Amino acid sequence: MRPSLRAKAISVCEDKIAKKGEGVGLSFYAFFANKNDDPDLLMEAAEWWIKTNALDHFEKAVKIREMIKSGK
């Protein structure tokens, strides 16, 4: 995952956790606007989420943040 996407994903996770608590879940779609204006970046996130890490559709934001920070 490219550094800019990692930074965005961590920021989104931290924002969701701050607003809704540590139990909040999200999908990789949370890292994007409601329109598909960067399909390559969306596919990069989807591949990391689905193919590389075999994550469920929704995961805890805390888990995703820690995975990304650890370089997974």
Side-chain angles (χ1 to χ4, degrees), residues 19-72:
K19 289 180 179 174
K20 297 187 177 187
E22 293 199 2
V24 69
L26 52 78
S27 77
F28 66 88
Y29 289 111
F31 309 144
F32 300 92
N34 283 338
K35 59 184 176 179
N36 186 6
D37 57 359
D38 191 342
D40 292 333
L41 192 61
L42 178 65
M43 290 307 295
E44 185 176 331
E47 184 169 328
W48 179 87
W49 193 284
I50 298 165
K51 286 179 82 176
T52 303
N53 292 293
L55 298 169
D56 290 336
H57 183 74
F58 284 96
E59 293 285 352
K60 301 289 184 197
V62 171
K63 174 182 177 179
I64 299 303
R65 179 188 64 192
E66 295 313 310
M67 287 177 69
I68 295 169
K69 282 184 173 182
S70 72
K72 291 191 178 196

